[in-house]
Amino acid sequence: MTNHNPQSIYLDYHATTPVDPRVLEAMMPCYKEVFGNPASSQHAHGQAANQLVETARGQVATLLGADPREIIFTSGATESINLALKGVLTAEENRSGHLITTEIEHKAVLDVAQHFERTGGQVTYVPLGLDGVLKPEQVLDAITSSTKLISLQYANNEIGTVQPLPEVAKICRERGILFHCDAAQALPYLDCRLATIGADLVSISSHKSYGPKGIGALFARRKQPRVRLEAQIEGGGQERGLRSGTLNVPGIVGLGKACELLTTECQADGVRISALRDRLLAHLEEKLPGLVLNGSRENRLPNNINVSLPGVSAAKWLAGLTTVSCSAGSACSNPSSGDGSYVVQGLGKFQSAITVEEARSRAQGSIRLGLGRFTTEEEIDLAQKDLVDTAIHLLSRSDSKDSSEEDCSI
Ligand SMILES: *Cc1c(COP(=O)(O)O)cnc(C)c1O
């Protein structure tokens, strides 16, 4: 089922993005002449590497409107999230505290939350509307005297739903509760400056923003308030003791360049891509009556489409495509359950507007299309034809309704 065809149209930018050629170019010297260890401050090779790292730190800080000293390089958003959440919650005074989050977070957040619960903490999952958007009043209602941290994604990786972070940040600030934001998906499109989102901790990932894989960063506020974190990886004391290990210089330089490009191009990218996205969605909705758009139509990343087509399982729809690389709503992390996307499933949960069956069927049928910087108009024209033809073919076959052998290996 794996598609090795490089001619295939890539519509899976939420899973990862290609490296921008300008990013790759910036990284190349790190594989050649600038190979020193940035911690070797006593000689020229180390100093040259360190200089590149500090330039990159500045580029990341500029995009976020942060102080460079507030940026900690990690191996990606998963590690940043672990450092942010565990870094706060493993402190003596927080261990039996309370964490607030939602059920549609990335697994990195959900798994840390579960671990926290098993080890004496308390977790509240704020209910979401059918459109996946959280209401700040619901966060307010969930707060208790022991709430230590609130963790929310800025934008969802499956349904692209954008959360009202500034309102939540204000609530947190007024009550002295720390606020972590998972901005992995938001970074290439939304205003992630701290002055806007107001978070105390922000996790970002390079490979979702046209940088290389295996590198990310955590912003941790230094003052008002100063966030205290317990290091999760100990050793040589790099990154001010918060993340030991020899720095991934090429990765850091790549992330820095990717952030620099976003600082100037993010807005124009979003405008162009949302026009393509809107065209693709309008076409699908016109040709496939009954198509359900999962998530909010308005509060949505400009590059995201997530749809379910009643009577068509996501697995079969994807398997039938000949020219498009895209994903089911989720990576099907629990194939045995066959429930499909936990994100789409999570939306119907607190609403009487939708039955459990309907929520399950949407979750099983959801496919995600993610556009990006290198998506062209021609690609969208070809993709929409493939998507529509495949769906119509499946609808015309009676066995297409049988979703009992849901195949999650795709
Ligand atoms: C991809 C992603 C992550 C994890 O990022 P990695 O750098 O791959 O570890 C976390 N949160 C969201 C919302 C993501 O999309």
Side-chain angles (χ1 to χ4, degrees):
M1 221 49 77
T2 320
N3 191 345
H4 292 293
N5 177 7
Q7 301 304 310
S8 182
I9 296 159
Y10 188 72
L11 291 181
D12 206 8
Y13 277 77
H14 298 292
T16 194
T17 61
V19 173
D20 189 295
R22 295 166 290 180
V23 169
L24 183 60
E25 196 185 332
M27 292 168 67
M28 287 315 282
C30 311
Y31 290 109
K32 295 176 182 167
E33 59 272 22
V34 194
F35 60 84
N37 186 328
S40 307
S41 54
Q42 63 283 19
H43 60 61
H45 285 79
Q47 288 157 9
N50 186 56
Q51 216 161 53
L52 291 187
V53 167
E54 292 315 312
T55 299
R57 200 186 300 281
Q59 290 164 323
V60 177
T62 299
L63 181 60
L64 299 181
D67 185 305
R69 290 170 299 177
E70 297 176 309
I71 305 300
I72 304 152
F73 289 115
T74 66
S75 64
T78 297
E79 189 190 330
S80 298
I81 290 166
N82 272 266
L83 175 55
L85 270 55
K86 292 180 185 167
V88 169
L89 297 172
T90 55
E92 188 71 48
E93 67 274 21
N94 294 341
R95 276 180 205 168
S96 54
H98 179 224
L99 165 72
I100 297 174
T101 186
T102 76
E103 288 192 355
I104 66 167
E105 301 299 313
H106 189 270
K107 284 286 182 191
V109 171
L110 296 178
D111 286 0
V112 172
Q114 275 187 11
H115 182 87
F116 179 55
E117 257 180 324
R118 283 197 303 273
T119 53
Q122 284 178 303
V123 181
T124 300
Y125 300 90
V126 176
L128 301 167
L130 190 53
D131 63 358
V133 182
L134 160 153
K135 294 199 172 45
E137 311 87 80
Q138 305 258 36
V139 174
L140 204 54
D141 288 347
I143 292 173
T144 72
S145 57
S146 44
T147 306
K148 303 294 181 190
L149 180 67
I150 295 181
S151 181
L152 296 177
Q153 57 194 186
Y154 196 170
N156 184 267
N157 47 306
E158 291 189 28
I159 55 174
T161 303
V162 178
Q163 301 297 353
L165 293 194
E167 287 90 329
V168 176
K170 187 161 170 282
I171 291 170
C172 290
R173 190 147 286 254
E174 285 165 3
R175 285 160 186 77
I177 298 166
L178 291 177
F179 182 30
H180 168 254
C181 161
D182 171 3
Q185 292 290 336
L187 197 69
Y189 298 107
L190 305 179
D191 178 359
C192 288
R193 285 172 302 180
L194 294 153
T196 307
I197 60 177
D200 302 304
L201 292 149
V202 180
S203 294
I204 65 169
S205 173
S206 158
H207 76 101
K208 305 286 176 73
S209 292
Y210 311 101
K213 294 168 180 58
I215 187 77
L218 176 68
F219 157 84
R221 198 177 283 282
R222 271 173 71 88
K223 51 180 193 230
Q224 297 175 334
R226 181 182 182 88
V227 178
R228 298 200 178 282
L229 291 174
E230 303 259 323
Q232 303 299 308
I233 297 179
E234 296 177 292
Q238 286 88 347
E239 298 298 89
R240 299 189 322 282
L242 286 169
R243 206 285 188 174
S244 286
T246 300
L247 296 182
N248 170 0
V249 181
I252 289 168
V253 168
L255 171 59
K257 185 65 185 181
C259 287
E260 185 195 72
L261 294 176
L262 286 178
T263 305
T264 54
E265 297 178 10
C266 156
Q267 238 167 355
D269 256 7
V271 171
R272 189 188 72 85
I273 292 165
S274 71
L276 287 179
R277 189 273 315 268
D278 291 347
R279 224 181 66 183
L280 174 56
L281 179 59
H283 183 87
L284 296 178
E285 287 183 324
E286 187 202 323
K287 301 287 183 200
L288 302 171
L291 192 78
V292 177
L293 179 69
N294 296 306
S296 166
R297 201 171 279 268
E298 299 78 31
N299 301 311
R300 191 176 199 102
L301 284 174
N303 70 327
N304 176 275
I305 292 177
N306 186 304
V307 287
S308 302
L309 186 59
V312 174
S313 88
K316 286 182 179 165
W317 199 354
L318 292 181
L321 296 172
T322 53
T323 57
V324 181
S325 293
C326 65
S327 289
S330 82
C332 279
S333 46
N334 184 6
S336 60
S337 83
D339 282 346
S341 163
Y342 72 88
V343 170
V344 176
Q345 184 102 333
L347 302 183
K349 202 161 171 175
F350 299 93
Q351 300 265 331
S352 45
I354 176 172
T355 65
V356 175
E357 251 96 279
E358 200 176 331
R360 190 167 190 269
S361 137
R362 282 186 190 186
Q364 283 178 337
S366 70
I367 69 163
R368 174 184 73 180
L369 302 165
L371 289 66
R373 186 177 286 169
F374 305 108
T375 306
T376 65
E377 223 171 292
E378 297 72 49
E379 285 183 320
I380 290 302
D381 288 341
L382 290 169
Q384 63 195 21
K385 183 168 178 354
D386 193 11
L387 286 159
V388 169
D389 289 352
T390 306
I392 288 176
H393 175 70
L394 288 171
L395 282 170
S396 71
R397 283 170 29 182
S398 55
D399 70 338
S400 66
K401 285 198 171 65
D402 178 20
S403 59
S404 58
E405 20 112 29
E406 200 67 31
D407 179 3
C408 281
S409 66
I410 295 173

